[in-house]
Amino acid sequence: MKLQRFALALAGAGLLVAAAVSAPAAATGQADPMPYFPEQTAQPLSAKAAAAEPCLSAVGVPTVAGTMQEIAATPATPPRSVTYQSFPFVSTRADATWYFATNASQTQYFYYGLLLQAGNLYRHTTYIPADETKPPVPTFKKVGSGWTSFKSIATSNYSVAQPRHAYLYGLNTNGSLYRYQIVGTGFRALGPLPGFRGFRAMTVISETATYDTLLMTTNAGALYTVHIPIAAGAKPVLKLIRTGGWAPYESLVAQSCGTRGGTLLVAVDHNTQSAYQFAMSHANGRATAVTSYGKIPGVFNGVTHVSLTTHYDQLFGE
């Protein structure tokens, strides 16, 4: 991932900079002179230039040992990849998308996102030092408890137009999908969506003014889109993409690719610590085209695997 694409000087991007810090037990590790993220100190590019760059899967790998690193994969047969230096983070059991942002003066760059540790929900803000030989500095704030029964989380972030929205989705062992509206630093519960027993992995592939779309797999290996309208009381619409073949994958990482609503997808088999790259056309049930590029070089040993994107990059895969 080229961080120069993500250094967008947009008002409000520094929302989480002043978050209070309440850290879980932090991992320790030694700094390495290699960059932790590529080109992290480069000057920002324009949105037009960024859009012209080739599609890329930027995958975050948070581990049970309490480290984090990026593996960047470009589509080819087989895919090409670069693994960047790991850095001390914290032991987690579930993680959501990491969003890159900057404060208004572009003097501080950071990632932010949500994670689960035991039964607690935390927000992290991970600061990127100007000196690329120094590791990123993660900070943590506990924002909720009672998450023991949740096995996976995902977030959406529609930021490019009004009405803006951000949601947290939690897949519960009771077979329901829970949705929470993220309002500033708080959360408003919108209730459970039943009918998700037997579902396994999930990621967001669309964020629009009127709906979000999740991509989800089942224990039996089916692949579905879950279209969730923003309107209060609206019911999710599930569409089957494939009936089987996706059972080995415990993590899904999606990023937009192309102007027609394509998605570059990474699916990770935790048992073998292996990842595979796919391209999906704009999602349309069984008519969705899925192209396999094969196994990505690298060791994908995360407890989950997450998208490394920006606060203002939008997904439009359905």
Side-chain angles (χ1 to χ4, degrees), residues 52-57 73-75 255-258 264 277:
E53 291 191 358
C55 296
L56 177 76
S57 293
T74 52
Q255 281 150 345
S256 291
C257 183
L264 201 58
Q277 191 173 50

Side-chain angles (χ1 to χ4, degrees), residues 35-237:
Y36 294 88
F37 292 109
E39 301 182 31
Q40 63 192 37
T41 58
Q43 293 298 315
L45 291 177
S46 68
K48 181 177 180 181
E53 291 191 358
C55 296
L56 177 76
S57 293
V59 181
V61 185
T63 69
V64 70
T67 64
M68 174 67 172
Q69 69 182 144
E70 177 195 347
I71 300 178
T74 52
T77 308
R80 299 183 297 272
S81 70
V82 179
T83 298
Y84 293 96
Q85 176 66 35
S86 65
F87 60 89
F89 190 60
V90 70
S91 177
T92 68
R93 66 178 185 85
D95 302 77
T97 294
W98 283 41
Y99 299 100
F100 188 79
T102 180
N103 61 3
S105 61
Q106 297 189 73
T107 57
Q108 179 68 71
Y109 299 100
F110 58 94
Y111 281 98
Y112 69 91
L114 297 170
L115 61 91
L116 297 182
Q117 188 183 66
N120 298 316
L121 176 69
Y122 285 87
R123 177 183 288 111
H124 79 87
T125 305
T126 300
Y127 298 99
I128 309 298
D131 182 350
E132 68 176 18
T133 66
K134 295 182 178 180
V137 181
T139 64
F140 306 89
K141 178 180 173 64
K142 182 179 174 181
V143 292
S145 57
W147 287 80
T148 303
S149 60
F150 287 86
K151 56 185 180 179
S152 181
I153 59 174
T155 50
S156 68
N157 177 45
Y158 182 70
S159 304
V160 298
Q162 297 289 351
R164 297 184 175 94
H165 71 255
Y167 290 100
L168 166 64
Y169 296 92
L171 183 61
N172 199 291
T173 55
N174 67 10
S176 291
L177 180 69
Y178 288 75
R179 182 168 64 157
Y180 301 84
Q181 185 177 11
I182 304 173
V183 183
T185 58
F187 299 83
R188 184 165 69 92
L190 301 177
L193 301 170
F196 291 89
R197 191 172 300 279
F199 280 79
R200 189 177 193 182
M202 66 178 183
T203 190
V204 176
I205 63 167
S206 279
E207 305 154 317
T208 79
T210 57
Y211 66 89
D212 288 336
T213 303
L214 303 182
L215 187 70
M216 300 183 70
T217 63
T218 68
N219 292 331
L223 183 67
Y224 283 87
T225 54
V226 182
H227 178 103
I228 305 176
I230 300 306
K235 304 298 183 183
V237 177

